[in-house]
Amino acid sequence: AVVMLLNIYLANYIPRKGAKTGHVQDVGSGTVLPKKFAIPCLLLAVLFVFTGDGAIWAFLERIGAAAGSRSLGGSLVSASLIGGVFGSLAGGILGIRWGYVLPMIVSIAVSILSVLMFATFKQPWVLILAAVINGFGWNFGIAYRMGLIAELDVTGRYTVLVPSMQTLGNTIGPASAGLLIDMGGFNY
C-alpha cells in the first residue's frame, strides 16, 4: 500500500498528455516539466507498481491457504489473471479519452482497495473479488504508463526499459514480502 501511495505522489510529475517537444505540461501545478524527468518518474512508477503488485501476486496461494483452503490459492491466481485481461481490455477500449494520469490514479486506488480487502476479509468470495480487482488495476494502469512512456520517448531508448522495470519489480516485491512475512508472520 505504501508503494502504491508513492505512485500517487509521483503522478503529480507525470504529464497529462504526451508531447513531442522538449517539455511537457505538468498535471499538478501547470508548470513545465522537462521530459528528462517525466520519463524516469514513469519508469519508477512501473518499478514501484510491479514491486507492490508482484508481492501480492506471489503470495496469492498463501493467502488462500491462510483463509483455510488450498484450492482457493489457485482460484485467486486465476481470478487475478482474469481481472488482468479485463483491465487491459478496458485500457484499450478507453484509450486516452481521460488522458494518462487519471486512469493511472484510478488503477492505484483500485489496487489499494484490493489490498484492504485481502487484509480485512477471509471469505473466499471476497478474496476472489479482491484478486479480480487487483489484476484489473495492475493491468489497467500499466497500459497507460507504458503508453505515456512510448509517447514521450521519441528515441525509443527508455521504452525498452519497461520490461526491465517490470521484472525488477517482480523480483523485489516477492523477496521483500517474504522478508516481511518472515519477520512479522503471515497473519490474517
Side-chain angles (χ1 to χ4, degrees):
V2 172
V3 170
M4 293 173 194
L5 290 173
L6 181 59
N7 274 303
I8 290 174
Y9 171 76
L10 289 175
N12 289 317
Y13 299 99
I14 298 173
R16 188 176 315 235
K17 292 193 176 193
K20 297 296 180 185
T21 63
H23 292 81
V24 292
Q25 191 70 25
D26 180 68
V27 173
S29 63
T31 59
V32 175
L33 181 69
K35 274 200 279 189
K36 66 180 179 179
F37 296 120
I39 294 173
C41 284
L42 284 162
L43 288 170
L44 283 174
V46 170
L47 173 68
F48 293 150
V49 166
F50 273 76
T51 298
D53 284 329
I56 295 165
W57 201 82
F59 287 94
L60 285 176
E61 187 177 359
R62 295 275 311 267
I63 290 170
S69 170
R70 288 186 182 163
S71 65
L72 179 59
S75 297
L76 293 177
V77 171
S78 295
S80 175
L81 294 171
I82 289 168
V85 168
F86 286 109
S88 296
L89 288 174
I93 292 167
L94 182 60
I96 58 169
R97 266 179 252 156
W98 295 347
Y100 287 97
V101 175
L102 180 60
M104 285 188 254
I105 291 173
V106 167
S107 77
I108 292 166
V110 166
S111 292
I112 290 172
L113 172 65
S114 74
V115 170
L116 293 173
M117 291 171 72
F118 281 127
T120 307
F121 299 100
K122 279 186 162 182
Q123 296 88 346
W125 72 271
V126 177
L127 295 176
I128 288 172
L129 180 61
V132 170
I133 290 170
N134 184 267
F136 180 94
W138 189 357
N139 287 277
F140 179 70
I142 194 61
Y144 289 96
R145 287 179 198 91
M146 290 172 59
L148 187 54
I149 290 169
E151 187 169 329
L152 293 174
D153 182 17
V154 293
T155 66
R157 291 186 307 167
Y158 299 101
T159 303
V160 297
L161 293 176
V162 170
S164 296
M165 295 296 105
Q166 292 171 330
T167 302
L168 185 59
N170 276 333
T171 302
I172 295 170
S176 299
L179 289 173
L180 292 173
I181 290 168
D182 278 347
M183 291 177 2
F186 190 80
N187 298 320
Y188 251 101

